[in-house]
Structure formats: C-alpha cells, structure tokens
C-alpha cells in the first residue's frame, strides 16, 4: 500500500538555510547539508530545497548546495525556485536532484511542461502552483482561487484548479500546491483548494503553506479534508517543535498510512 | 577487495544517486557507456528512469543491448533498476509498443487510469504515477517507487517480492538465476534500499 509522505522543506538563500534550523540534540545551524542529513536520519520521506535567491551568483551557489545535499541523503530530493528554462532543469538534475519544480516559467509557457516531461520523464517534473483565494463576488458561494507568480506578487488571472489540470495533462508528474494566504501563518493548510485540486487532477498533490502543528499535517493528508498525497512543512521541523518521527507517529495514531520510522542500522560500510 | 560493479550509463536518467548508494555499500563503481566494457563486466547494475521509447529502442537494438544480454547469458550478477528491470521483459505498451531485451517473459503495462482508493462510490481516484513509499510482501519493508508502468509477467516464479497499488499486484523485485530486478529505487529507499543493494553486491543475489 502506498503511504502518505511527510516532506520537510528548506528555503535556501545564498547557500544557507533561511531562518536557520534548530533541531533538538543538534546545534543550531544554517547549513543545508547538515539539516538535510538530520531529516534523512529522522526518516523524512523526501526532502525539498527551494532556492529563494534572486541573483545569478546565488543560483550557482544553489546548484552547489543541491550537489552537496544529494551526496548525503538516500531519499528523493525535489528542488525548485527560479527554474526558468530547460538548461536550469538539466543543471539541477545533473547536480543530483530527483525532481525539479517549475512555477512561473510554466505559467508563462505551459508547453515547457511537456518539453521537460518528454525529455526527462514525468516523474522528474513537479509543477509548483502558488494560489490565492479571491474575494467572492455577490452571488458566489464556492470560493475561487487564482494562480499567482513571482512569489505571490503577481496575479495571473488563471483559475487554480484549471491550471493544475492543464499542468497534469501536459505531463507534470506532481503538483506542489502552496496557499499564499496561509504561507507563514501556522494556521494550517488551505484545505478547500487542496482537496479540490487533489480530487480533480490524476497526479499526486503535495500540500504546502501554513503548517503550525502535527494536526495540520493530518488534515492535509486526510482523504476527507485536504486529500493530499504528501504534506510539506518547514518551520515546525526547523524550529525543533517536532521531529519527523513524531509527525509519523502522530499521523499513524490518527489513521493516516505512513511509512514507519526506522532507526538507522549498521548498513554503511564506508563514509 | 571491494566488489567491482559496472554501472551502465545508457542515457536513461541520472546515475549519481545509484553510484553514490553503491559506493556506500562497499562497491567499487565504474560508470560506463561503452558496450565493450560492459560486455566484460563481472557484475552489472543497469538503472533507468522514464519510459520505453526511441532511446530504449536504440539501446535494445544496438551494441549495448547485445552486451547486456551477453553478461546475463554468461551468468554474471545483473541488477536492473526501475526501467532497467522493465527492459528485461519482452515488450511495453508504452507509445504504441516498444521491445525490451526479452530476457524474461512478460509485458510492461500502464496502471489503469480509473483505479479507486476504496470500494465506496465516492472513493478517490488513485494517482498515477505510483509515487512514494509502498510496502512489499512478504517482507513488509518500505521502498520508494516512482512509475506509471509495471511488469505483468506470465511466470510468477520470477517474483521475489510483490507490491500492490490499487487493484494491481505487480513485481517489486524479480530474480532468475543471476538476473535481478527491482521496480523501486533502492538508491532512494534509505536503509531498506541500501540493505537491498548490499545483498546484491555481497552475494550477487538480492
């Protein structure tokens, strides 16, 4: 049986984890490699690195971070942020990423999704979609959501669900859905849009934006609430509020099928 | 002496993770895209991501395909990973039908689009690709899968471990003599995956 995934996400700026990372039993660190290793050992199902640097030098640094992290973990690595063109995808996959997320560039040119999926396989291509709820007009009952780009600073006028469906039909392997309304609030995911997208698209959906507690992870993954296939979170893990193992235990205790946490056993011969 | 493994580079995806994992479990890895080099290997790992298509056709029909068959027929340990396992079989439904290496009996099929997560009428549609961690039977261990196609074999005795997704039960690992294959990505399956690779490297078995 396929389990629901818990994915810690690290925001990277100029080669460092933004806001720092504070694990229990580990000194405070902004080093992405150390953070990635800790998450891998704790039993993260996957790891996500997002580049929030705006400069060209920052981009090169990020590729180097991806390379160093990929060399340390044995779980899937998804990377994104500032991916503009095919050459960026090639560079990141070449550095050891398993999946690359495209966001604004796919909105500007949807056929980029097909081009990337044809070349690298759908399983490598994640379409990251940032959404925002629109103020309902008089007479509207169901909330509408639009796609926003450039870190939520620009409207697109695209309907969120339609765009996700289009991305899937063009060959995306997964949707990383972030609510800009919820991001950073610690109020929990936007369950309405997460559920709607997850039910409408035939590919896996990763819920993102707003997690402040383990209960929020459960809500995102519950088939009757967020219905997501994977739950992404940043700050609850960074600040040592919870470990991945605690998250897994909580989810399992509340009926969400997850991969049990397994403590490392002596398997490494070298390194 | 570490076991020397030829890691086959056939333009079917990134090899770094597989190489890194093999080194972790004690192998001495040589990456090669040269059919002559592969043909003389004493142990081969053949990874692949993506799908059957023009690239796999060129491989199957070309010198690399011949080299891989030679290693297998000679009896040297061989491990196909993901697409590398699927290519051991006869044919894929993908893209109107592409041939595999035809070493083992079976076809590669796409998961049906209409599988549901339960019996209730409103049960959610299962997503494709089958992506994430699933348990295999009979061991109950979890491995990382990322695939839209699976092997349907006419010979169940090939199958070591099974995995189920929706209504489909498919081989997670297969073996016949010196030939092994896994549908999951051992290099992405943490300790379970490293143990699997270590068994292959140490024993020429999985």
């Amino acid at each position: 049986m396929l389990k629901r995934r818990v994915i810690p996400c690290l925001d990277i700026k100029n080669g460092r984890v933004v806001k720092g990372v504070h694990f229990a039993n580990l000194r405070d660190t902004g080093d992405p490699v150390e953070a990635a290793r800790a998450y891998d050992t704790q039993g993260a199902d996957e790891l996500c690195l997002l580049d929030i640097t705006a400069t060209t030098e920052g981009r090169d640094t990020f590729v180097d971070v991806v390379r160093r992290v990929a060399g340390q973990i044995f779980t899937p690595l998804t990377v994104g942020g500032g991916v503009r063109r095919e050459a960026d995808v090639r560079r990141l996959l070449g550095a050891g990423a398993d999946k690359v997320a495209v966001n604004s560039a796919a909105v500007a040119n949807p056929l980029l999704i097909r081009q990337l999926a044809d070349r690298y396989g759908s399983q490598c291509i994640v379409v990251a979609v940032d959404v925002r709820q629109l103020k309902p007009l008089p007479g509207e009952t169901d909330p509408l959501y639009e796609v926003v780009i450039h870190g939520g600073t620009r409207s697109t006028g695209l309907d969120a669900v339609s765009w996700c469906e289009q991305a899937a039909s063009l060959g995306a392997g997964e949707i990383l859905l972030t609510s800009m309304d919820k991001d950073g609030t610690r109020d929990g995911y936007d369950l309405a849009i997460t559920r709607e997208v997850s039910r409408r698209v035939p590919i896996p959906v990763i819920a993102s934006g707003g997690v402040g507690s383990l209960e929020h992870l459960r809500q995102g993954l519950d088939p009757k609430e967020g219905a997501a296939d994977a739950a992404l979170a940043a700050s609850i893990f960074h600040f040592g509020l919870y470990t991945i193992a605690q998250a897994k235990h909580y989810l399992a205790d509340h009926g969400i099928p997850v991969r049990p946490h397994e403590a490392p056993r002596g398997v490494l011969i070298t390194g | 002496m570490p076991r020397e493994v030829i890691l086959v580079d056939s333009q079917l995806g990134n090899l770094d993770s597989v190489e890194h994992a093999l080194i972790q479990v004690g192998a001495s890895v040589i990456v090669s895209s040269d059919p002559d080099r592969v043909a003389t290997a004493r142990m081969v790992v053949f990874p692949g991501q993506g799908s059957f298509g023009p690239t796999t056709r060129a491989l199957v029909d070309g010198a690399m395909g011949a080299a891989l068959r030679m290693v297998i027929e000679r009896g040297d340990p061989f491990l196909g990973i993901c697409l590398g396992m699927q290519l051991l079989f006869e044919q894929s439904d993908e893209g109107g039908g592409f041939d595999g290496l035809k070493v083992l009996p079976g076809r590669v099929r796409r998961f049906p689009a209409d599988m549901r997560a339960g019996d209730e009428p409103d049960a959610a549609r299962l997503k494709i690709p089958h992506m994430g961690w699933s348990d295999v039977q009979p061991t109950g261990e979890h491995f990382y899968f990322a695939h839209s196609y699976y092997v349907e074999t006419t010979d169940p005795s090939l199958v070591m471990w099974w995995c189920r997704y929706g209504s489909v039960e498919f081989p997670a690992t297969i073996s016949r003599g010196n030939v092994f294959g896994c549908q999951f990505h051992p290099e992405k399956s943490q300790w379970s995956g490293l143990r699997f690779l270590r068994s292959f490297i140490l024993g020429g078995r999985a």
Side-chain angles (χ1 to χ4, degrees):
Chain A
M1 179 190 199
L2 181 64
K3 303 304 188 289
R4 307 274 156 170
R5 283 171 278 159
V6 176
I7 306 176
C9 179
L10 298 168
D11 286 346
I12 309 292
K13 188 171 189 179
N14 298 319
R16 306 290 292 175
V17 181
V18 177
K19 297 180 206 158
V21 178
H22 308 261
F23 294 112
N25 310 321
L26 195 74
R27 66 186 168 80
D28 291 1
T29 172
D31 177 16
V33 177
E34 202 165 321
R37 280 179 76 143
Y39 285 140
D40 192 39
T41 309
Q42 287 180 11
D45 294 315
E46 199 165 319
L47 195 70
C48 183
L49 299 179
L50 289 181
D51 180 19
I52 61 165
T53 320
T55 60
T56 313
E57 307 80 63
R59 299 254 177 271
D60 292 339
T61 312
F62 183 68
V63 172
D64 184 53
V65 168
V66 171
R67 184 172 293 112
R68 288 190 294 128
V69 167
Q72 292 291 335
I73 64 170
F74 298 100
T75 35
L77 177 62
T78 298
V79 306
V83 176
R84 297 266 165 270
R85 52 188 74 81
E86 205 230 309
D88 299 331
V89 174
R90 188 171 57 232
R91 219 152 63 113
L92 291 165
L93 290 173
D98 298 291
K99 310 179 202 179
V100 176
V102 285
N103 190 335
S104 309
V107 172
N109 172 22
L111 290 178
L112 177 66
I113 301 170
R114 171 157 292 158
Q115 183 195 337
L116 294 173
D118 283 349
R119 184 147 316 167
Y120 301 105
S122 287
Q123 80 287 342
C124 288
I125 306 303
V126 179
V127 174
V129 180
D130 295 343
V131 301
R132 178 170 69 193
Q133 188 178 345
L134 294 170
K135 284 208 175 66
L137 298 172
E140 279 179 350
T141 47
D142 291 336
L144 283 172
Y145 290 81
E146 75 158 339
V147 177
V148 291
I149 52 173
H150 297 291
T153 59
R154 212 175 296 172
S155 289
T156 64
L158 284 172
D159 174 66
V161 176
S162 310
W163 169 238
C164 292
E165 287 179 315
Q166 190 187 353
S169 70
L170 286 167
E174 259 180 330
I175 300 282
L176 169 55
L177 184 73
T178 303
S179 159
M180 298 310 290
D181 303 318
K182 294 287 196 169
D183 202 32
T185 64
R186 304 209 191 177
D187 274 355
Y189 297 118
D190 187 322
L191 297 173
I193 188 63
T194 306
R195 179 173 60 245
E196 183 65 11
V197 169
S198 191
R199 291 196 171 162
R200 293 277 284 275
V201 301
I203 57 177
V205 172
I206 304 165
S208 160
V211 171
S213 70
L214 299 182
E215 173 60 12
H216 293 150
L217 297 176
R218 187 202 64 74
Q219 291 169 350
L221 297 171
D222 188 309
K224 294 195 163 31
E225 298 186 58
D229 300 276
L232 182 138
S235 55
I236 61 162
F237 298 128
H238 292 352
F239 297 126
L241 254 49
Y242 303 102
T243 64
I244 305 283
Q246 285 172 319
K248 294 289 194 71
H249 283 132
Y250 182 88
L251 293 169
D253 287 348
H254 290 79
I256 304 289
V258 289
R259 178 175 67 112
H261 175 64
E262 182 195 12
R265 285 192 259 156
V267 68
L268 302 188
I269 290 176
T270 66
Chain B
M1 274 294 286
R3 299 296 294 265
E4 186 180 286
V5 177
I6 299 281
L7 182 59
V8 181
D9 179 7
S10 46
Q11 308 300 312
L12 296 172
N14 194 348
L15 301 177
D16 291 355
S17 313
V18 181
E19 180 179 10
H20 171 50
L22 287 169
I23 291 170
Q24 283 293 325
V25 298
S28 152
V29 182
I30 296 167
V31 177
S32 180
S33 56
D34 174 8
D36 292 338
R37 184 74 187 82
V38 171
T40 61
R42 304 320 306 254
M43 188 175 264
V44 168
V45 174
F46 177 45
Q49 289 166 21
S51 53
F52 281 62
T55 312
T56 64
R57 174 183 282 157
L59 177 129
V60 166
D61 293 345
M64 186 61 90
L68 296 173
R69 283 195 205 89
M70 191 181 293
V71 172
I72 290 168
E73 281 163 25
R74 200 170 54 223
D76 287 312
F78 182 101
L79 174 65
I81 298 175
C82 196
L83 180 59
M85 171 182 100
Q86 296 182 354
L87 279 165
L88 293 168
F89 290 85
E90 290 163 299
Q91 205 178 40
S92 169
D93 292 346
E94 271 170 85
F98 285 94
D99 283 346
L101 292 165
K102 300 180 195 269
V103 173
L104 298 171
R107 292 180 64 85
V108 177
R109 295 197 175 279
R110 191 174 169 87
F111 283 115
D114 55 355
M115 293 195 299
R116 300 273 160 178
D119 295 332
E120 309 84 46
D122 65 340
R125 190 168 42 166
L126 283 184
K127 309 300 180 68
I128 297 171
H130 170 228
M131 187 178 284
W133 297 78
S134 282
D135 56 305
V136 303
Q137 298 303 328
T139 72
E141 277 187 295
H142 286 77
F143 293 92
Y144 182 80
F145 293 81
H147 61 126
S148 302
Y149 292 78
Y150 66 95
V151 168
E152 183 184 84
T153 178
T154 47
D155 182 357
S157 73
L158 289 174
V159 183
M160 284 197 308
W161 298 342
W162 292 92
C163 183
R164 176 177 281 279
Y165 190 50
S167 56
V168 177
E169 194 162 43
F170 63 88
T173 58
I174 54 103
S175 78
R176 164 125 315 157
N178 59 314
V179 183
F180 299 88
C182 54
Q183 178 60 65
F184 51 74
H185 288 277
E187 77 281 10
K188 293 289 158 191
S189 297
Q190 256 203 346
W191 316 113
S192 311
L194 293 176
R195 280 196 296 271
F196 176 84
L197 287 176
R198 189 174 60 177
S199 310
F200 175 75
I201 294 301
L202 291 182
R205 61 184 168 77

